[in-house]
Amino acid sequence: MDKEKIKYHIRGLLEAIGENPDREGLKETPERVAGMYEEVFEGIGYSNHEIAEMFGKTFEVSETGSQTAVVMKDITVFSYCEHHLALMYDMTVNVAYVPKGKVLGLSKIARICDMASKRLQLQERLGRDIAEIISEATGSEDVGVKITGSHSCMTARGIRNASSKTETRTYCGAFRDKRDLQELLD
């Protein structure tokens, strides 16, 4: 990430909207924004494969005759809409997968969701990215992801519908056809 370019362009943006980037409250804004972008867009620097490797710590489990699903709900993330660079907030992610002889460490599921969200995103793609990463990390094609969130491009501008929420669901493998697996995400 080129923080110097970000600072240069943020200064220009401030000027373009009619602000004085040299006034007291804005003097350090380009530097602060560059630091914030480095943090909130960290995921841009990694492919889904690299995230799966980074957070792919698994534990072996014995396979019994019964099918077990791992479900983690209400993982909080935020991201930025790639269309408006607007905040996607109050986002919760529910993830479920059917283990194939190994399970992910629970914190790794939350870390995967967090890192995948740290990109310019569409909510639909974020769900697919999380499912792809979980699938690679666990070796299971049976993955479901539900994301619910607010988008400031809907709530703070345009139609300004403050109460609207967007829900997306991604179903892979057995989740595509099995309603009982899909219901685990609710």
Side-chain angles (χ1 to χ4, degrees):
M1 187 162 301
D2 189 335
K3 288 176 74 174
E4 290 306 312
K5 261 189 185 174
I6 294 169
K7 288 192 279 188
Y8 172 81
H9 289 289
I10 293 299
R11 181 178 174 83
L13 177 65
L14 290 170
E15 291 170 347
I17 64 170
E19 271 290 357
N20 173 5
D22 294 318
R23 78 170 167 83
E24 188 57 37
L26 295 177
K27 283 181 186 176
E28 296 174 16
T29 295
E31 187 174 319
R32 286 191 296 266
V33 171
M36 180 188 75
Y37 280 4
E38 184 175 52
E39 178 184 338
V40 301
F41 295 130
E42 179 184 7
I44 290 172
Y46 301 101
S47 68
N48 285 352
H49 173 72
E50 289 168 326
I51 295 171
E53 286 184 335
M54 193 180 329
F55 301 120
K57 175 69 176 161
T58 59
F59 303 93
E60 300 294 321
V61 292
S62 63
E63 299 216 23
T64 62
S66 64
Q67 194 75 299
T68 301
V70 174
V71 182
M72 182 174 275
K73 293 184 177 184
D74 299 324
I75 302 165
T76 304
V77 300
F78 69 90
S79 193
Y80 288 84
C81 163
E82 67 183 33
H83 294 150
H84 302 99
L85 301 182
L87 185 63
M88 297 174 359
Y89 62 98
D90 289 340
M91 295 179 79
T92 58
V93 181
N94 295 350
V95 175
Y97 70 95
V98 178
K100 302 290 190 221
K102 58 185 178 177
V103 293
L104 270 175
L106 292 177
S107 71
K108 304 308 183 219
I109 297 171
R111 291 180 190 281
I112 286 167
C113 294
D114 180 63
M115 186 62 78
S117 73
K118 290 181 174 181
R119 302 169 169 165
L120 293 174
Q121 277 290 11
L122 298 175
Q123 187 170 318
E124 299 86 347
R125 184 182 323 113
L126 178 57
R128 287 192 308 269
D129 286 349
I130 292 168
E132 180 180 309
I133 296 165
I134 296 286
S135 180
E136 181 176 340
T138 63
S140 175
E141 66 280 356
D142 303 326
V143 179
V145 178
K146 173 186 163 188
I147 303 174
T148 305
S150 298
H151 296 237
S152 60
C153 52
M154 279 282 296
T155 62
R157 60 155 303 276
I159 194 163
R160 291 184 181 98
N161 190 317
S163 63
S164 68
K165 299 251 185 231
T166 301
E167 182 178 296
T168 56
R169 292 173 181 251
T170 303
Y171 300 132
C172 303
F175 278 82
R176 286 188 190 112
D177 303 319
K178 293 189 175 182
R179 182 74 186 132
D180 60 325
L181 288 177
Q182 294 172 8
E183 289 173 353
L184 293 174
L185 296 169
D186 293 329

